[in-house]
Amino acid sequence: AAAPVNPNDIDDTSAVKPHRMSENSKYVISRWSNRTFKRKDQISGQPMNIDYLDDCKLYVMDDMDSTNIDDCNNTVMVFASVANSIFLRTCHNCTIYAACKQFRVRDCTNCKIHLFAGTDPVVETSSNIHFKPLNIRLPGMKTAFKKANLDPSVNRFVHVYDFNAEDTKYPEPHFIVTNEGHGLKMENMCAEDGTPECPPEIEMLLDGRLAPAASVESGQNKSHNIKTGAQAWTAPPVEAAPAPAAAASDPNDDEGSDNGKYSDYESSSAKSSSKYSHSEDEDTF
């Protein structure tokens, strides 16, 4: 469970800045340690920049456009709804609770991601990134979802695309996905700011009454060399009807000589090199 928030530690403007470049403005939080920050009825769909936080807590209850998060360590960050992307870069030992359209990770290690994602998450040059379903309630979260145009019934957090799936420079596992057997319960956060709530589909997915949505790369839209999977938790894509049998070709006709030349490429494109966990026992953070 998340540690209780001490309201005396939140956005104390009289606090001595730990660095001459420290900033705590509406849309920028930069260079702080051991502080708790909140944003409620302030962001109004605008983007935020967050960087150089150590041992901090951040709660954003507003809908927002996007956020870049850089160089944070041992920090907990909570985002009610992000209409576009969350980009996590060079962060270590952080815990993220987030609902967003797109989630990207680069150059990060040992992070827990409790996620609602409208598209397939992306991992790049990272290790030990553990994806789990979102399991929080926040004041105003239902409204924030609507303002960000997020469909709570379409969560693709299990379909992780690894840009470096075969690169041995980065310790394995690059990422882990835990869906079944996650051992999570819903958590109420920021109750002092209102009644915690969430779209019902968040709870339905957590307790198994709703399955994750199919990958955006499934079926006919699959990209070449995709490193993704999690088919066990989603309904298979509807297969297209078989094409009519081709007329027999003239053995002397060169145009028929390419039949089947793409079959090896197509089968290799679906290769999966990710690691999935069905048990909380593999959570080593």
Side-chain angles (χ1 to χ4, degrees), residues 41 140 151 227-228:
D41 301 326
D151 181 348
K227 304 297 191 297
T228 189

Side-chain angles (χ1 to χ4, degrees), residues 8-12 15 32-37 55-57:
N8 295 323
D9 290 338
I10 297 171
D11 289 353
D12 183 358
W32 291 90
S33 300
N34 298 294
R35 303 297 304 170
T36 298
F37 303 91
D55 300 292
C56 290
K57 294 182 177 70

Side-chain angles (χ1 to χ4, degrees), residues 171-231:
E172 295 282 355
H174 296 172
F175 69 91
I176 301 169
V177 174
T178 299
N179 184 30
E180 295 175 351
H182 50 66
L184 299 172
K185 296 181 179 180
M186 292 298 299
E187 296 184 30
N188 292 330
M189 295 186 176
C190 303
E192 62 275 15
D193 296 292
T195 303
E197 62 176 23
C198 69
E201 292 88 347
I202 300 299
E203 298 190 35
M204 290 170 64
L205 190 145
L206 192 73
D207 63 23
R209 291 178 290 141
L210 178 68
S215 168
V216 295
E217 299 289 347
S218 62
Q220 298 301 312
N221 295 321
K222 184 177 289 298
S223 299
H224 85 280
N225 202 31
I226 186 78
K227 304 297 191 297
T228 189
Q231 297 302 317

Side-chain angles (χ1 to χ4, degrees), residues 14-264:
S14 65
V16 176
K17 292 184 177 181
H19 189 277
R20 65 181 179 83
M21 295 181 65
S22 296
E23 183 174 351
N24 179 18
S25 61
K26 185 182 293 187
Y27 305 120
V28 178
I29 302 175
S30 178
R31 299 183 185 273
W32 291 90
S33 300
N34 298 294
R35 303 297 304 170
T36 298
F37 303 91
K38 282 189 178 182
R39 296 293 184 269
K40 185 175 188 293
D41 301 326
Q42 299 179 60
I43 304 303
S44 303
Q46 298 300 308
M48 285 188 72
N49 287 327
I50 300 158
D51 59 31
Y52 296 103
L53 300 185
D54 293 324
D55 300 292
C56 290
K57 294 182 177 70
L58 167 64
Y59 301 86
V60 181
M61 289 165 271
D62 300 342
D63 66 291
M64 52 193 296
D65 176 74
S66 59
T67 183
N68 291 332
I69 305 168
D70 296 292
D71 299 284
C72 294
N73 297 282
N74 303 303
T75 289
V76 177
M77 286 171 268
V78 180
F79 302 96
S81 70
V82 179
N84 291 300
S85 67
I86 295 176
F87 199 177
L88 192 70
R89 301 179 291 201
T90 324
C91 293
H92 309 285
N93 303 301
C94 291
T95 299
I96 312 295
Y97 297 85
C100 60
K101 180 179 179 181
Q102 180 189 53
F103 191 87
R104 300 177 62 191
V105 180
R106 190 176 74 194
D107 300 328
C108 295
T109 60
N110 303 326
C111 291
K112 296 180 184 178
I113 315 295
H114 298 253
L115 185 63
F116 171 95
T119 59
D120 300 357
V122 173
V123 170
E124 183 177 3
T125 60
S126 297
S127 295
N128 227 20
I129 309 301
H130 197 158
F131 292 90
K132 302 179 183 183
L134 184 63
N135 62 316
I136 62 168
R137 304 183 190 98
L138 287 167
M141 193 172 183
K142 291 181 181 179
T143 299
F145 256 72
K146 291 179 180 178
K147 287 183 176 180
N149 293 316
L150 297 178
D151 181 348
S153 67
V154 180
N155 188 354
R156 295 185 166 97
F157 83 99
V158 297
H159 302 290
V160 180
Y161 185 108
D162 185 0
F163 270 103
N164 305 92
E166 298 172 359
D167 195 330
T168 58
K169 288 188 299 184
Y170 306 100
E172 295 282 355
H174 296 172
F175 69 91
I176 301 169
V177 174
T178 299
N179 184 30
E180 295 175 351
H182 50 66
L184 299 172
K185 296 181 179 180
M186 292 298 299
E187 296 184 30
N188 292 330
M189 295 186 176
C190 303
E192 62 275 15
D193 296 292
T195 303
E197 62 176 23
C198 69
E201 292 88 347
I202 300 299
E203 298 190 35
M204 290 170 64
L205 190 145
L206 192 73
D207 63 23
R209 291 178 290 141
L210 178 68
S215 168
V216 295
E217 299 289 347
S218 62
Q220 298 301 312
N221 295 321
K222 184 177 289 298
S223 299
H224 85 280
N225 202 31
I226 186 78
K227 304 297 191 297
T228 189
Q231 297 302 317
W233 302 312
T234 57
V238 177
E239 296 293 337
S249 59
D250 185 338
N252 296 319
D253 184 357
D254 289 341
E255 292 182 0
S257 62
D258 283 341
N259 285 344
K261 76 173 183 179
Y262 295 112
S263 59
D264 291 340

